[in-house]
Amino acid sequence: TPPPPPSELQLNMREWWIHVGLICVPLVAVYLHIPPPHLSATLQKWHSAGDFFHFRGKKIFYRDSYGALGSSDVVLLLHGFPTSSYDWNKIWDPLAQRFHRVIALDFLGFGFSDKPRPHRYSIFEQASIVEALVAHLGLSNQRLNLISHDYGDTVALELLYRSDQNRTGHLNFNSLCLSNGGVFPETHHPRLLQTLLKDSSILATFLTRLTNFLIFQKGVGEVFGPYTQPTDAEFWDMWTSLRYNDGNLVLDSILQYINQRFQHRDRWVGALTATHAPLHMIYGPLDPVNPHPQFIRLYMHLVKRSTVTILDDHISHYPQLEDPTGFLKAYFNFFHSF
């Protein structure tokens, strides 16, 4: 038989190399443990200003700032996925100037907190961690103002459910302000990587190890507006806190929260529609995860007692980072309204 034309041979060779590459890259990534990046000066400062408490043998990072004299109001901040309490850094000082205490934590599996694996991460456990922190700080009888974002919105709704059911150890809500969280599974659009990680265990093992800074930057950049992109340093801080304690390796376990939102929709949406606590939603309308106008229309239709602030058209999924001034203005307007 005559030899195949060079082009066909080249194609075969190219295909062969692609196959070799596809097999080798994950194997190399699995065995080549790339050390996590060092903390930047700003992230180190955030870490140093915080403290840890223990929850069922796991270390949980939190920050607790004493601020305004003459105020007894306490605000508790619940961050989103896949980031950390550092998401609140741009509004931290203004809140501390207004509130007696400003508190935030890194959920289990996030930021500077422990990231056990294997572990069955759940919204219920994160809510119990928040209750434990509040008890640890001696605030069990204090009326609390919660501000939450994304994943934190769902944790807040579980806390609200427990409070309204008068469960042991529940928080005393003074108010709740949500922001850009997928509280309705039917209007929530997870990113492709999130869907792959939560639903395919074998693929997830490779993907969590293969995810690098550039993939992370692209993925997170897509949920920020075009004019409000993080700086390279800010992207790097997000990535660093994700990689801290090998956090990339627990992403697939944490992402089960998307399935939990479906399973417990009635419980969490029910708590939102039934509560008598003052409610507000701050919403960046360019959010591809909770798109406008479907998300906010459904929210206003179902949650009649809540007030809403829709920020500028170019603000996306991270309003507290993209428009800290607008976020604070909306929050203080809400806080002074009840």
Side-chain angles (χ1 to χ4, degrees), residues 239-254:
W239 173 242
T240 304
S241 57
L242 174 74
R243 282 293 319 273
Y244 194 87
N245 287 339
D246 292 328
N248 52 310
L249 303 184
V250 300
L251 289 175
D252 53 332
S253 312
I254 291 173

Side-chain angles (χ1 to χ4, degrees), residues 120-184:
R120 292 186 65 155
Y121 289 88
S122 81
I123 294 295
F124 299 101
E125 183 181 42
Q126 305 287 19
S128 297
I129 289 170
V130 175
E131 290 175 340
L133 172 62
V134 167
H136 172 76
L137 297 175
L139 294 170
S140 296
N141 298 317
Q142 170 79 36
R143 292 178 70 77
L144 301 172
N145 302 284
L146 269 69
I147 304 178
S148 60
H149 172 242
D150 182 69
Y151 180 86
D153 282 10
T154 305
V155 179
L157 294 185
E158 172 57 21
L159 289 163
L160 193 62
Y161 176 85
R162 295 180 189 187
S163 176
D164 287 347
Q165 297 289 318
N166 212 14
R167 296 280 178 92
T168 309
H170 73 81
L171 267 54
N172 288 302
F173 274 82
N174 192 50
S175 68
L176 171 59
C177 177
L178 305 161
S179 59
N180 285 76
V183 291
F184 309 117

